[in-house]
């Protein structure tokens, strides 16, 4: 077995080990002893299996131990007592009625809710008074594990936050740039168009009205308003065909598109979820430029293994990680099939290619979307064909929105962006309100999700070997 193949299968084995450990975290609380047991089993397997498989077996056992070990380093922390606390702001999330800060102190973090007018920014050192409470699960969602993936162990609400010192490092400056952009959208666009623009370009979908969010969800277009693998896929592929239309050579397209992804992530402040999607996006972009999708699929798998080393609990408990990973695997695995079955779409302006890429990215993501959102949209294909061509111009006009305050020139960006956003809202509103738009799916066990993906993997393997057999015959 070649080193590249060993690395790929070891990455898959490690991810499976992390998943198994994540499912049994409450049972296993002695990771060191567990590691000794599993290492002993692995040593026994060394004499049972061929030696070329030993790294793959060890990777699975290491994944089990490592996930349990990282989880124990979080849950073994005790919540501080008293009312006065301090820490450094690592993230700021905007809600209609509050701000939620992620504050880090002593190697762990806390969610701090405070007023919308709080001046706290990323990188600031703050003090606050409140009683810290433990994170709790709700409505069947393992919120404690999701929070633990970010090393968050507690939460509280403080009426006031005091700034000890403002940070002027790059993360703080990027955050202030993001806030400035958000205020531009609020000043020059009406609601809900302003909220939709912030969701699509600044990952700030928490201020979207509930009716707009529900309409996008029921019409199968919720991926457009979330900075995830699906969203990055659409932007990357659409921009790639736009650059191809301009006649740029292959290497320059890769440079321009890759730089655009990095600038996009910088505007967002390099949050972990967007960085993961961006890394996957650059890999997929490189594969489309070079023309080696199989190599890109291997790179995506290995990259996911590396990301799991950083945040192992994200593999099982972070929907953003799962959707990003699955979107790019799906794009690389099913793109050829969709290309053969969407030949009836016109190629004008790259429409067929962009829609094909979007449907490819969603194919393997549908079970996850149904599992988390409990809806299966029947109008998703039609709605996506209408909306996908609008995503790239919306993103481009949004990036150039810093010109909005300029006389005369600003109107060249304000009005086109407004009408594009209005079309999206009207289309999803109409489709989402149709009686047959979506089928509600009752919550179901994650084991059914495993069974569905196992069935998909089996069908994919059968299709692959059938194709190989037909070529030999």
């Amino acid at each position: 077995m070649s080193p590249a193949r060993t690395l790929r299968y070891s990455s898959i084995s490690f991810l499976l080990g992390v998943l198994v450990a994540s499912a049994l975290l409450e049972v296993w609380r002695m990771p060191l002893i567990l590691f000794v047991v599993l290492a002993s089993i692995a040593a026994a397997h060394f004499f049972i299996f061929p030696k070329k498989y030993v790294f793959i077996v060890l990777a699975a056992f290491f994944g089990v131990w490592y996930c349990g070990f990282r989880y124990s380093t979080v849950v073994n922390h005790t919540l501080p007592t008293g009312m006065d606390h301090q820490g450094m702001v690592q993230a700021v999330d905007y809600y209609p009625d509050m701000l939620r800060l992620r504050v880090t102190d002593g190697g762990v973090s806390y969610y701090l809710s405070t007023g919308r007018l709080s001046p706290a920014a990323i990188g600031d050192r703050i003090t606050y008074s409140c009683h810290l409470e433990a994170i709790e699960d709700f409505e069947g969602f393992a919120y404690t594990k999701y929070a633990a993936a970010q090393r968050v162990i507690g939460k509280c609400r403080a009426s006031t936050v005091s700034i000890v010192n403002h940070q002027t490092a790059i993360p703080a400056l990027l955050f202030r740039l993001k806030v400035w952009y958000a205020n531009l959208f609020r000043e020059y666009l009406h609601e809900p168009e302003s909220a939709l623009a912030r969701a699509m370009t600044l990952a700030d979908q928490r201020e979207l009205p509930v009716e707009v969010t529900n309409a996008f969800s029921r019409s199968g277009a919720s991926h457009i308003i979330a900075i995830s693998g699906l969203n990055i896929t659409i932007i990357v592929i659409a921009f790639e065909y736009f650059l191809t239309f301009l006649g740029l050579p292959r290497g320059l397209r890769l440079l321009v598109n890759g730089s655009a992804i990095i600038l996009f992530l910088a505007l967002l402040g390099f949050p972990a979820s967007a960085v993961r999607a961006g890394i996957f996006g650059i890999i997929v972009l490189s594969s489309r430029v070079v023309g080696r999708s199989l190599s890109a699929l291997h790179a995506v798998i290995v990259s996911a293994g590396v990301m799991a080393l950083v945040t192992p609990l994200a593999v099982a408990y972070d929907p953003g990680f799962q959707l990003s990973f699955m979107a790019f695997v799906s794009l690389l695995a099913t793109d050829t099939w969709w290309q053969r079955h969407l030949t009836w779409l016109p190629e004008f302006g790259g429409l067929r290619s962009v829609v094909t890429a979007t449907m490819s990215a969603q194919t393997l993501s549908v079970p996850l979307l149904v599992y988390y959102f409990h809806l299966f949209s029947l109008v998703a294909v039609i709605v996506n064909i209408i909306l996908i061509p609008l995503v790239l111009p919306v993103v481009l006009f949004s990036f150039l929105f810093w010109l909005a305050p300029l006389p005369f020139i600003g109107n060249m960006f304000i009005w086109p962006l407004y009408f594009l956003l209005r079309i999206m809202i009207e289309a999803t509103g109409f489709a989402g309100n149709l009686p047959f738009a979506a089928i509600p799916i009752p919550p179901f066990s994650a084991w059914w999700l495993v069974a569905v993906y196992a069935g998909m993997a089996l069908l994919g393997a059968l299709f692959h070997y059938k194709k190989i057999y037909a070529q030999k015959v």
Side-chain angles (χ1 to χ4, degrees):
M1 185 180 295
S2 67
R5 184 170 293 183
T6 299
L7 178 61
R8 179 171 71 252
Y9 290 142
S10 296
S11 298
I12 295 174
S13 183
F14 173 70
L15 289 170
L16 290 175
V18 169
L19 279 173
V20 170
S22 299
L24 301 172
L25 283 175
E26 296 304 324
V27 179
W28 295 333
R29 286 297 185 89
M30 301 178 68
L32 183 59
I33 295 177
L34 177 64
F35 179 67
V36 172
V37 173
L38 293 177
S40 301
I41 296 174
H45 279 172
F46 181 82
F47 299 100
I48 299 173
F49 293 110
K51 293 185 179 180
K52 61 183 179 181
Y53 296 127
V54 70
F55 290 106
I56 299 174
V57 175
L58 282 173
F61 294 142
F62 175 72
V64 172
W65 169 79
Y66 184 71
C67 182
F69 170 74
R70 287 292 300 271
Y71 180 65
S72 66
T73 63
V74 176
V75 298
N76 288 341
H77 277 84
T78 56
L79 287 174
T81 58
M83 294 292 291
D84 296 326
H85 313 282
Q86 64 174 335
M88 179 173 290
V89 179
Q90 299 291 337
V92 179
D93 294 322
Y94 287 86
Y95 289 85
D97 58 343
M98 69 173 186
L99 290 184
R100 191 186 71 177
L101 312 178
R102 179 158 56 87
V103 182
T104 299
D105 184 41
V108 291
S109 300
Y110 311 97
Y111 287 139
L112 171 62
S113 300
T114 187
R116 284 272 306 190
L117 300 180
S118 172
I122 291 177
D124 288 350
R125 190 79 185 175
I126 64 171
T127 59
Y128 55 98
S129 293
C130 64
H131 175 68
L132 287 166
E133 302 174 353
I135 301 291
E136 298 178 351
D137 296 338
F138 63 90
E139 297 179 1
F141 178 61
Y143 191 46
T144 53
K145 309 297 192 306
Y146 172 80
Q150 305 176 61
R151 302 189 65 81
V152 175
I153 63 171
K155 62 179 181 178
C156 73
R157 185 176 185 91
S159 57
T160 58
V161 172
S162 300
I163 310 295
V164 176
N165 66 285
H166 279 294
Q167 180 61 260
T168 58
I170 291 178
L173 296 176
L174 290 175
F175 174 76
R176 288 175 174 82
L177 175 63
K178 179 180 177 180
V179 171
W180 178 74
Y181 247 101
N183 290 334
L184 279 181
F185 288 129
R186 292 188 181 97
E187 183 176 355
Y188 290 97
L189 290 176
H190 295 293
E191 297 292 354
E193 289 79 14
S194 172
L196 180 56
R198 298 195 301 275
M200 293 181 63
T201 57
L202 301 177
D204 187 13
Q205 65 267 29
R206 292 179 177 86
E207 292 186 286
L208 270 174
V210 175
E211 58 272 16
V212 174
T213 303
N214 291 340
F216 272 84
S217 180
R218 286 180 55 83
S219 58
S222 56
H223 56 88
I224 291 177
I225 57 176
I227 304 299
S228 65
L230 287 172
N231 183 279
I232 296 292
T233 298
I234 296 169
I235 296 173
V236 165
I237 301 303
F239 198 43
E240 166 69 11
Y241 282 104
F242 175 69
L243 296 176
T244 303
F245 175 76
L246 294 179
L248 271 64
R250 179 180 298 180
L252 186 57
R253 294 201 308 268
L254 176 59
L255 177 62
V256 172
N257 211 338
S259 301
I261 293 176
I262 294 174
L263 288 174
F264 184 40
L265 297 179
L267 181 61
L268 297 177
F270 293 103
S273 59
V275 169
R276 288 195 299 260
I279 292 173
F280 290 145
I282 291 175
I283 293 172
V284 172
L285 174 64
S286 303
S287 74
R288 296 182 72 89
V289 172
V290 177
R292 300 183 63 181
S293 60
L294 186 60
S295 298
L297 182 59
H298 300 170
V300 166
I301 293 172
V302 173
S303 298
V306 174
M307 294 174 193
L309 280 171
V310 180
T311 53
L313 288 178
V315 176
Y317 297 109
D318 188 342
F321 177 92
Q322 298 163 10
L323 288 170
S324 293
F325 175 70
M326 197 57 67
F328 288 110
V329 170
S330 182
L331 172 64
L332 296 167
T334 67
D335 186 60
T336 303
W337 187 90
W338 280 104
Q339 285 180 8
R340 291 201 307 268
H341 290 81
L342 290 178
T343 54
W344 53 274
L345 279 175
E347 189 55 70
F348 176 76
L351 174 63
R352 184 198 305 167
S353 300
V354 174
V355 173
T356 297
T358 304
M359 300 310 298
S360 302
Q362 290 192 76
T363 302
L364 299 183
S365 303
V366 169
L368 273 174
L369 291 170
V370 171
Y371 176 75
Y372 284 114
F373 300 106
H374 312 301
L375 281 176
F376 180 75
S377 177
L378 300 177
V379 297
V381 175
I382 297 175
V383 172
N384 276 278
I385 290 175
I386 296 172
L387 297 189
I388 295 308
L390 306 181
V391 172
L392 181 60
V394 166
V395 173
L396 290 177
F397 279 120
S398 297
F399 277 145
L400 296 173
F401 209 71
W402 57 274
L403 297 170
L406 297 179
F408 305 111
I409 297 178
N411 289 328
M412 297 172 57
F413 300 95
I414 296 173
W415 288 107
L417 180 59
Y418 171 81
F419 284 120
L420 289 170
L421 295 169
R422 172 46 51 183
I423 291 172
M424 286 185 163
I425 292 171
E426 292 294 337
T428 54
F430 174 79
N433 287 324
L434 293 173
F436 55 86
I439 301 175
I441 306 295
F444 55 91
S445 169
W447 290 110
W448 284 106
L449 189 66
V450 172
V452 169
Y453 277 114
M456 285 184 166
L458 179 61
L459 288 175
L462 291 175
F463 177 78
H464 176 70
Y465 287 112
K466 180 181 178 181
K467 183 179 178 181
I468 294 177
Y469 177 77
Q471 289 175 348
K472 290 182 178 179
V473 174

